[in-house]
C-alpha cells in the first residue's frame, strides 16, 4: 500500500467540480486528479523551463485570436467563474459576436474554458452553430489534444450548443518568416479533427463518472508511481509519490522502460536486486555495478587534444513566432557562445559573445566566433550540437562555409570520451554535463546560477530582447545568460583537468 493513508481525510460530501485540465490529469492518473483537488500543496512548483513553455503558450493564444477579427474575449479569470459563465451566455445570444475567446461553459459538474468558439452564420430564427477551435503551441496534433477537445465538446453539447466542427490550431513549421508583420494565416495550421474527437467523446462520460467516484473518497487511490507519471505530462506529484522509495529504486535504472517494466513484473524493487546475468545495456550495467570505473584508455584519449584548446558552447533560442528574416517557427537560432582557451602552460583566457538586441543575430555571432577560434588548436565541445548548428548556419550564410568547414575539422568531443572511458556512481546513468560536472568536480555545479538549464535560456533571452524595457532588468538577464554559458565551458576545462589526474591515478 502507499503513503496515501498518512494524508488528512478530504472533505467529500459533494463531488468537486472538474475542469478540462483536471479531466486530463485524471486521464493520466486518478491519484493525480485527487491530489490536485484535495491536496494541491503537495505538488512541486513548475521549474523555469516548464514556466517558459506556459508563457510561450500564452503568447500563441493571443496571436491566434487575431485570426478571428470581431471576436470577443471573456476576461473574467478562473476565480471569477460565475462572471465568466454569465458573460459567455450573453455573447452566445448576441448574433453580432463572430467568435468568443476563453468562453466559459459548465455541464454536469465540468467547467471548460474554450480557446476559440467561432459562430457559423445561420438563417434568421435558427439557432447558431459553432466551430470549436483549440489553440496549441505544438507543431502537430497529439492524443492528449484529442482528449482535451473531447471533454470540451461534450460540455458544449451538454450546455445546448450545436457544433459543426472541431479543430486544432497549431504552429506550422513550414512557414518561413520574411519581414514585417507575422503572417498569421501561415503561422498557424487549423486541422479539422472532428471525426477523431467524436470517437473519443464516447469515453468521456465514463471517465468523468470514475473521477467523481474517486474524488468522493476520503483518501487518494493507491496507485504506484511508474512510467505513466511522465506521459503525456510530467506529474507535479512525482516527488511526493516517490519520497519513500529507496535511493536505488528500480525506476532510477536508465534506458528502455520495457526493460524496467520486465524487472518490475519479476518483483524486482531495487537496482541492487537485479539478478546477475540479466540482459542490460552498458550504461545499465554501470549503474548496477555502482562503482567508479576508469578505462586504461582514458589518458590517451584525453591527451589527443592539440593546444591551444578552445572549450566551446553555444546557446540557441527556438521561438514559436519567428522574428528574424528567412527563419521558421522553432528553428534553432544561435545567439550566444562562450570560449575558454587553455594554453599548454595552463594559462586560461575567456572570450564570449551575446547578441542583445532584436536584430538578426547570426551574422555577427558567426563573425565573432570565427575570430575567437582562430586557426589553431582543438575545439572541445560536449555533444554533436555545435557541429549541427554550424552546418545549419552555413545553409543560410554560405559565405561562412569554408571557415566553418575548417572549424568542424578541429572539433574534439569530450562527451563520448567520458562515456567510453569513465563512470562515477553519482552520474546515476546520465552523461549530461549537468550530471557529470558535480560528480567529477564537486566544487562546481549550476546551483549558484540564476539560469541553471538550457530550457530557461530561450525564455530569458526573449524577455531581455523583446519584452523588457527596463535596462537594469535587461542587464541582470544579460549577466545571467553570460554566466550560464561560461559555466558550461569552464566545466569542460575542469573536467579535462580532473579526469587527466584520475587517468594518472592521482585523482
Ligand atoms: S506521481 Fe504518478 S502515481 Fe503519483 S499522482 Fe502523479 S501520476 Fe499518479
Amino acid at each position: 500500500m502507499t503513503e496515501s493513508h498518512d494524508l488528512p481525510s478530504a472533505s467529500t460530501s459533494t463531488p468537486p467540480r472538474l475542469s478540462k485540465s483536471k479531466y486530463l490529469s485524471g486521464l493520466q492518473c486518478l491519484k493525480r486528479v485527487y491530489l490536485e483537488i484535495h491536496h494541491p500543496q503537495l505538488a512541486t512548483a513548475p521549474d523555469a523551463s516548464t514556466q517558459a513553455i506556459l508563457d510561450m503558450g500564452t503568447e500563441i493564444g493571443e496571436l491566434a485570436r487575431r485570426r478571428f477579427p470581431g471576436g470577443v474575449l471573456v476576461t473574467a479569470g478562473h476565480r471569477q467563474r460565475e462572471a465568466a459563465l454569465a458573460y459567455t451566455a450573453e455573447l452566445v445570444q448576441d448574433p453580432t459576436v463572430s467568435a468568443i475567446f476563453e468562453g466559459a461553459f459548465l455541464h454536469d459538474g465540468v467547467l471548460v474554458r474554450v480557446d476559440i468558439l467561432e459562430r457559423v452564420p445561420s438563417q434568421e430564427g435558427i439557432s447558431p452553430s459553432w466551430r470549436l477551435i483549440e489553440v496549441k503551441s505544438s507543431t502537430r496534433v497529439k492524443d492528449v489534444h484529442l482528449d482535451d477537445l473531447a471533454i470540451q465538446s461534450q460540455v458544449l453539447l451538454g450546455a445546448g450548443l450545436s457544433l459543426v466542427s472541431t479543430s486544432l490550431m497549431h504552429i506550422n513549421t513550414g512557414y518561413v518568416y520574411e519581414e514585417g508583420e507575422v503572417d498569421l494565416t501561415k503561422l498557424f495550421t487549423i486541422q479539422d479533427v472532428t471525426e477523431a474527437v467524436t470517437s473519443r467523446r464516447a469515453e468521456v462520460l465514463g471517465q468523468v463518472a470514475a473521477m467523481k467516484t474517486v474524488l468522493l473518497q476520503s483518501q487518494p487511490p493507491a496507485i504506484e508511481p511508474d512510467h505513466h507519471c511522465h506521459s503525456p505530462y510530467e506529474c507535479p506529484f512525482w516527488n511526493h509519490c516517490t519520497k519513500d522509495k529507496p535511493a536505488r529504486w528500480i525506476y532510477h535504472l536508465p534506458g528502455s522502460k520495457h526493460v524496467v517494466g520486465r524487472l518490475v513484473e519479476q518483483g524486482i524493487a531495487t537496482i541492487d536486486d537485479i539478478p546477475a546475468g540479466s540482459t542490460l545495456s552498458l550504461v545499465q550495467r554501470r549503474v548496477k555495478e555502482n562503482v567508479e570505473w576508469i578505462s586504461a584508455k582514458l589518458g590517451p584519449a584525453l591527451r589527443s587534444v592539440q593546444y591551444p584548446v578552445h572549450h566551446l558552447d553555444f546557446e540557441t533560442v527556438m521561438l514559436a513566432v519567428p522574428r528574424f528574416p528567412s527563419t521558421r517557427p522553432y528553428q534553432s537560432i544561435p545567439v550566444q557562445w562562450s570560449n575558454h582557451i587553455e594554453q599548454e602552460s595552463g594559462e586560461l583566457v575567456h572570450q564570449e559573445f551575446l547578441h542583445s538586441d532584436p536584430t538578426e543575430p547570426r551574422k555577427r555571432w558567426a563573425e565573432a566566433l570565427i575570430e575567437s577560434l582562430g586557426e589553431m588548436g582543438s575545439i572541445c565541445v560536449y555533444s554533436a550540437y555545435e557541429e549541427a548548428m554550424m552546418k545549419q548556419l552555413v545553409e543560410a550564410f554560405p559565405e561562412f562555409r569554408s571557415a566553418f568547414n575548417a572549424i568542424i575539422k578541429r572539433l574534439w568531443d569530450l562527451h563520448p570520451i567520458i562515456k567510453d572511458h569513465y563512470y562515477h556512481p553519482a552520474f546515476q546513468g546520465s552523461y549530461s554535463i549537468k550530471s557529470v560536472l558535480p560528480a567529477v568536480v564537486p566544487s562546481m555545479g549550476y546551483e549558484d546560477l540564476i539560469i541553471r538549464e538550457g530550457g530557461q535560456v530561450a525564455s530569458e533571452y526573449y524577455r531581455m530582447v523583446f519584452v523588457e524595457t527596463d535596462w537594469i532588468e535587461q542587464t541582470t538577464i544579460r549577466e545571467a545568460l553570460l554566466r550560464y554559458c561560461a559555466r558550461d565551458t569552464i566545466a569542460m576545462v575542469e573536467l579535462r583537468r580532473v579526469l587527466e589526474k584520475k587517468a594518472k591515478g592521482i585523482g
Side-chain angles (χ1 to χ4, degrees):
M1 211 44 77
T2 70
E3 88 303 332
S4 305
H5 300 291
D6 297 342
L7 294 174
S9 291
S11 167
T12 52
S13 51
T14 50
R17 274 184 186 164
L18 288 167
S19 62
K20 72 170 182 173
S21 66
K22 298 280 188 297
Y23 174 80
L24 294 176
S25 294
L27 286 189
Q28 182 175 1
C29 174
L30 288 170
K31 184 176 178 185
R32 175 174 176 171
V33 68
Y34 186 98
L35 294 176
E36 280 183 3
I37 287 179
H38 293 304
H39 302 285
Q41 76 284 359
L42 298 176
T44 304
D47 61 20
S49 298
T50 310
Q51 194 55 50
I53 292 167
L54 295 175
D55 293 346
M56 205 178 278
T58 307
E59 186 203 5
I60 294 297
E62 285 164 7
L63 279 176
R65 286 182 215 135
R66 290 204 224 145
R67 279 276 305 260
F68 300 87
V72 178
L73 176 67
V74 177
T75 53
H78 289 277
R79 294 182 190 283
Q80 302 158 295
R81 190 166 44 205
E82 298 311 319
L85 286 166
Y87 188 44
T88 304
E90 249 178 64
L91 297 175
V92 166
Q93 296 305 323
D94 183 347
T96 66
V97 174
S98 59
I100 303 171
F101 307 137
E102 294 295 324
F105 298 88
L106 177 67
H107 177 70
D108 195 21
V110 183
L111 179 89
V112 296
R113 299 294 293 257
V114 176
D115 285 344
I116 298 170
L117 201 55
E118 186 184 25
R119 189 185 296 269
V120 179
S122 59
Q123 291 171 344
E124 209 174 315
I126 299 178
S127 301
S129 296
W130 301 87
R131 286 201 182 94
L132 165 60
I133 302 165
E134 170 73 8
V135 181
K136 294 288 180 202
S137 52
S138 124
T139 57
R140 63 183 175 85
V141 178
K142 298 177 185 168
D143 268 5
V144 65
H145 301 152
L146 300 176
D147 289 323
D148 191 331
L149 281 161
I151 184 71
Q152 292 184 60
S153 58
Q154 180 69 25
V155 169
L156 290 176
L157 293 171
L161 273 73
S162 165
L163 292 179
V164 293
S165 68
T166 306
S167 298
L168 192 88
M169 186 170 178
H170 62 83
I171 296 292
N172 167 27
T173 50
Y175 167 52
V176 180
Y177 169 73
E178 287 309 336
E179 270 177 280
E181 286 285 300
V182 169
D183 184 341
L184 297 178
T185 62
K186 292 182 180 157
L187 175 65
F188 291 107
T189 295
I190 301 181
Q191 196 167 337
D192 190 314
V193 289
T194 308
E195 213 178 303
V197 169
T198 303
S199 61
R200 283 206 181 205
R201 211 167 49 229
E203 300 164 15
V204 170
L205 285 180
Q207 297 285 8
V208 169
M211 290 176 208
K212 286 181 176 173
T213 303
V214 162
L215 291 171
L216 283 171
Q217 309 301 313
S218 63
Q219 292 291 329
I223 295 173
E224 281 291 301
D226 61 24
H227 291 299
H228 82 278
C229 309
H230 311 293
S231 177
Y233 302 116
E234 286 297 327
C235 176
F237 297 100
W238 175 258
N239 288 348
H240 166 73
C241 288
T242 59
K243 67 184 188 314
D244 298 325
K245 297 296 179 193
R248 301 266 290 159
W249 186 38
I250 192 68
Y251 278 95
H252 294 318
L253 188 71
S256 158
K257 63 182 181 185
H258 300 295
V259 172
V260 177
R262 264 203 317 273
L263 294 168
V264 172
E265 276 168 25
Q266 292 167 31
I268 293 164
T270 71
I271 293 167
D272 299 318
D273 297 336
I274 299 172
S278 298
T279 309
L280 298 175
S281 68
L282 183 63
V283 175
Q284 288 168 333
R285 282 211 306 277
R286 297 254 178 267
V287 174
K288 176 163 165 47
E289 287 159 10
N290 205 28
V291 290
E292 187 179 35
W293 169 78
I294 303 169
S295 140
K297 292 182 182 160
L298 177 63
L302 290 170
R303 287 192 288 279
S304 67
V305 283
Q306 307 275 315
Y307 284 90
V309 185
H310 300 260
H311 299 79
L312 182 66
D313 184 60
F314 296 167
E315 294 302 334
T316 58
V317 296
M318 293 166 69
L319 303 174
V321 182
R323 301 276 176 164
F324 310 116
S326 306
T327 61
R328 298 169 194 273
Y330 293 120
Q331 181 176 333
S332 292
I333 308 288
V335 292
Q336 181 178 8
W337 54 255
S338 168
N339 181 16
H340 272 96
I341 309 161
E342 187 189 34
Q343 303 294 335
E344 198 156 9
S345 62
E347 185 197 341
L348 203 59
V349 173
H350 182 224
Q351 297 179 347
E352 60 191 349
F353 175 89
L354 173 58
H355 187 87
S356 312
D357 65 55
T359 57
E360 158 66 69
R362 289 174 293 174
K363 205 157 184 278
R364 281 162 59 190
W365 176 93
E367 286 166 350
L369 177 64
I370 291 166
E371 191 182 338
S372 176
L373 292 174
E375 294 177 353
M376 303 275 292
S378 301
I379 301 168
C380 174
V381 290
Y382 200 83
S383 75
Y385 187 67
E386 278 67 24
E387 179 174 348
M389 278 315 308
M390 287 189 269
K391 285 181 172 166
Q392 183 188 303
L393 188 123
V394 297
E395 294 306 314
F397 297 90
E399 64 267 37
F400 297 123
R401 190 177 300 277
S402 72
F404 277 128
N405 281 348
I407 286 170
I408 286 168
K409 285 191 189 133
R410 292 160 56 203
L411 290 178
W412 185 91
D413 195 343
L414 182 59
H415 179 255
I417 290 178
I418 294 181
K419 210 166 173 193
D420 291 346
H421 301 296
Y422 181 74
Y423 184 77
H424 190 287
F427 290 2
Q428 296 190 343
S430 166
Y431 287 90
S432 87
I433 200 161
K434 304 287 182 297
S435 304
V436 167
L437 179 64
V440 178
V441 190
S443 59
M444 198 178 262
Y446 289 81
E447 289 308 304
D448 59 315
L449 301 180
I450 296 173
I451 294 173
R452 294 179 201 152
E453 46 190 287
Q456 241 178 310
V457 170
S459 62
E460 287 300 293
Y461 183 81
Y462 182 85
R463 201 157 69 80
M464 174 181 76
V465 172
F466 298 110
V467 179
E468 274 301 337
T469 50
D470 180 333
W471 71 267
I472 295 177
E473 189 59 23
Q474 285 174 331
T475 306
T476 305
I477 299 171
R478 186 180 155 78
E479 282 304 310
L481 287 165
L482 289 171
R483 285 195 68 201
Y484 173 73
C485 195
R487 182 64 52 90
D488 274 342
T489 53
I490 192 71
M492 287 186 271
V493 175
E494 290 301 323
L495 282 171
R496 281 186 46 245
R497 286 177 176 172
V498 174
L499 289 173
E500 278 265 13
K501 284 188 190 161
K502 284 183 184 285
K504 289 177 184 159
I506 52 176

